[in-house]
Amino acid sequence: MSIAACRICQAPLRHTFVDLGMSPLANSYVNRRQLNQMEPFYPLQVFVCDCCFLVQLVPVARPEEIFSEYAYFSSYSDSWLEHASAYADSVTRRFGLHGNSRVVEIASNDGYLLQYFASKGISVLGIEPARNVAETAVQRGIPTLIRFFGDETARELAAEGKHADLIIGNNVLAHVPDLNGFVRGMESLLRRRGVITLEFPHLMRLIEQNQFDTIYHEHLSYFSLITIQKLFSCHGLKLFDVEELSTHGGSLRIYLCHEDDKEKAISERVKDLLSREEKAGLTKLEQYLSFGDQVKQTKREFLKFLIAAKNQNKSIVAYGAPAKGNTLLNYCGVGTDFIDYTVDRSPHKQGHFLPGTRIPIYSPDRIGETRPDYLVILPWNLTEEIVTQMSYIREWNARFVVPIPAVRVL
Ligand SMILES: [Zn+2]
């Protein structure tokens, strides 16, 4: 295999952060018709750059294969809507957005976030490559360009005079193959006193909390604040503030402006987090190289639990069909030999099968009908919510199992 180059600094990628073996695309749910067909599996090997410390995958599938018909509609989740509405209020106040301002969101999904700006009379524009969700946004009155964002899109918009006072990119950076082009694009689209805010899962949390299952082919890059600050500063953008959020097991929201924007001073929170990351070893290669052993250990512990339960003739089912569950189950080699089925509230997933493991997905009602002994919570970031919602399994003395960061039986 030839050595690939770092997505940010082009240094050769010589070090493995973690190797999760061969895995199917985590969002490629299998339907009944596809059950007797083969599925493509791709290597899920993550590298760390010894120069800029970007943790990254080498792309294996074209973005069009992954994003043209995206199954996830943001508006379905109540907690996301609250998060979005609170964010819109806060930035509108903090940066004094008004009727003549323009907000551009990259990867705007079905327009769930931009609707809160539009309702304040602020002009909005969404950019979204997945046609099915973009069309939903247009139907609800959110102007949306159906395409990928990059250098070229940004230059076209800038040439039309459509500069932005606020550019938003939530959970999109990890998916971008050409990071430098993407950041250059944001820089050229941003008005002189404008602000960019981006949200993405925090690499420090991924390592600390052993969240290796959040690694899948769609997520090409995993960022620390240290690395992301370097990336943006190469393109004339200043990181002036950061917030730590609880979403996705621990995310960062960063705030950026043009380097020469003297109105925005770098906050203490930026300095504090940079120094905490350094203390956590994120500027030392050895820290990254030890992650793989931690992951193998987790696999052995999870299998130990499953084998012991099956040897006692216990029945095990799962809750949820998130992408992260597919990484966990495929990496651990766990199929219907251990887990009879999983359930999901999304009607888009019910009646399908998990990619690779082919575990069937049913409606949550099935749990009351089959009364399993253990319920493995795959979306561990929603454990509290699921334990409350499914508390009736205690009636037949069933137990909840959370696999990450380490197996816990509740
Ligand atoms: Zn690099």
Side-chain angles (χ1 to χ4, degrees):
M1 188 172 115
S2 65
I3 295 181
C6 171
R7 185 165 298 122
I8 293 182
C9 74
Q10 273 73 53
L13 295 174
R14 303 176 191 281
H15 307 282
T16 299
F17 174 66
V18 64
D19 188 350
L20 298 170
M22 297 292 287
S23 219
L25 296 180
N27 281 307
S28 299
Y29 295 89
V30 173
N31 64 32
R32 200 163 286 282
R33 198 167 34 79
Q34 294 164 320
L35 270 185
N36 48 16
Q37 294 169 13
M38 58 94 88
E39 276 174 83
F41 276 58
Y42 301 94
L44 195 49
Q45 182 180 9
V46 191
F47 296 91
V48 56
C49 172
D50 57 15
C51 193
C52 71
F53 297 111
L54 180 68
V55 168
Q56 57 197 295
L57 285 171
V58 176
V60 289
R62 289 176 302 117
E64 295 77 12
E65 278 176 62
I66 299 177
F67 296 113
S68 54
E69 280 285 330
Y70 204 43
Y72 189 76
F73 282 78
S74 301
S75 294
Y76 283 172
S77 152
D78 290 344
S79 55
W80 264 116
L81 292 180
E82 278 166 36
H83 178 74
S85 159
Y87 162 83
D89 289 345
S90 137
V91 284
T92 301
R93 228 177 308 119
R94 180 168 174 188
F95 301 111
L97 299 176
H98 50 73
N100 294 324
S101 308
R102 176 178 291 106
V103 176
V104 174
E105 186 184 12
I106 303 167
S108 49
N109 208 285
D110 58 5
Y112 75 101
L113 173 55
L114 286 176
Q115 67 181 343
Y116 296 109
F117 292 98
S119 70
K120 297 176 197 294
I122 297 169
S123 140
V124 299
L125 175 66
I127 301 171
E128 169 58 56
R131 179 166 294 275
N132 58 341
V133 285
E135 280 167 357
T136 309
V138 172
Q139 278 159 21
R140 67 154 62 140
I142 304 295
T144 304
L145 291 180
I146 304 176
R147 60 189 290 184
F148 283 97
F149 179 82
D151 224 355
E152 204 185 297
T153 313
R155 270 195 312 238
E156 285 174 29
L157 289 171
E160 293 167 26
K162 290 187 174 158
H163 286 93
D165 299 279
L166 173 65
I167 301 176
I168 307 167
N170 290 343
N171 298 305
V172 59
L173 218 49
H175 301 283
V176 175
D178 175 14
L179 274 178
N180 287 299
F182 189 88
V183 176
R184 251 193 328 269
M186 285 196 285
E187 197 274 338
S188 58
L189 186 60
L190 188 66
R191 203 164 270 171
R192 267 194 73 209
R193 296 274 172 260
V195 173
I196 301 170
T197 77
L198 303 168
E199 287 178 28
F200 52 87
H202 190 191
L203 177 64
M204 187 165 83
R205 293 269 170 267
L206 185 154
I207 296 174
E208 273 173 8
Q209 298 292 313
N210 200 26
Q211 298 162 352
F212 68 88
D213 57 340
T214 61
I215 295 168
Y216 38 92
H217 297 103
E218 290 86 333
H219 286 171
L220 298 171
S221 310
Y222 304 81
F223 300 95
S224 65
L225 192 68
I226 291 170
T227 298
I228 212 146
Q229 188 192 36
K230 275 190 216 152
L231 166 66
F232 281 92
S233 115
C234 290
H235 296 284
L237 293 166
K238 173 171 80 177
L239 198 160
F240 67 92
D241 201 5
V242 61
E243 288 169 60
E244 290 175 83
L245 312 172
S246 61
T247 46
H248 295 292
S251 295
L252 296 183
R253 177 187 290 150
I254 58 170
Y255 294 80
L256 304 130
C257 63
H258 286 292
E259 214 147 52
D260 59 3
D261 186 341
K262 300 279 183 276
E263 284 169 19
K264 300 176 184 78
I266 297 176
S267 77
E268 282 305 314
R269 293 194 285 197
V270 172
K271 296 169 198 164
D272 170 63
L273 185 54
L274 288 173
S275 91
R276 277 192 285 138
E277 284 192 347
E278 202 177 333
K279 279 197 199 109
L282 296 188
T283 51
K284 293 196 190 75
L285 188 61
E286 310 83 75
Q287 175 66 20
Y288 293 92
L289 300 186
S290 63
F291 186 65
D293 284 335
Q294 183 180 321
V295 171
K296 287 180 209 158
Q297 171 74 16
T298 311
K299 172 175 179 169
R300 293 193 297 268
E301 294 295 326
F302 186 43
L303 286 172
K304 200 164 104 185
F305 163 79
L306 294 172
I307 291 167
K310 290 316 282 183
N311 282 342
Q312 292 163 16
N313 286 319
K314 303 287 190 195
S315 58
I316 309 169
V317 308
Y319 188 98
K324 59 165 86 70
N326 293 327
T327 294
L328 175 77
L329 298 172
N330 278 296
Y331 171 64
C332 294
V334 171
T336 50
D337 40 2
F338 289 109
I339 294 182
D340 299 338
Y341 62 85
T342 190
V343 299
D344 199 280
R345 284 207 287 185
S346 163
H348 298 283
K349 290 182 179 170
Q350 291 166 11
H352 285 67
F353 298 79
L354 299 183
T357 59
R358 306 289 177 99
I359 294 173
I361 309 168
Y362 297 110
S363 138
D365 299 340
R366 180 128 182 151
I367 290 178
E369 292 157 18
T370 68
R371 299 161 72 99
D373 297 305
Y374 290 108
L375 183 58
V376 179
I377 298 177
L378 295 175
W380 42 257
N381 50 316
L382 305 175
T383 295
E384 220 172 294
E385 200 176 314
I386 293 166
V387 167
T388 309
Q389 181 197 322
M390 301 300 294
S391 60
Y392 63 85
I393 71 166
R394 309 269 192 211
E395 285 168 24
W396 62 88
N397 298 318
R399 314 278 301 268
F400 293 99
V401 179
V402 187
I404 303 286
V407 180
R408 278 182 303 145
V409 179
L410 309 177

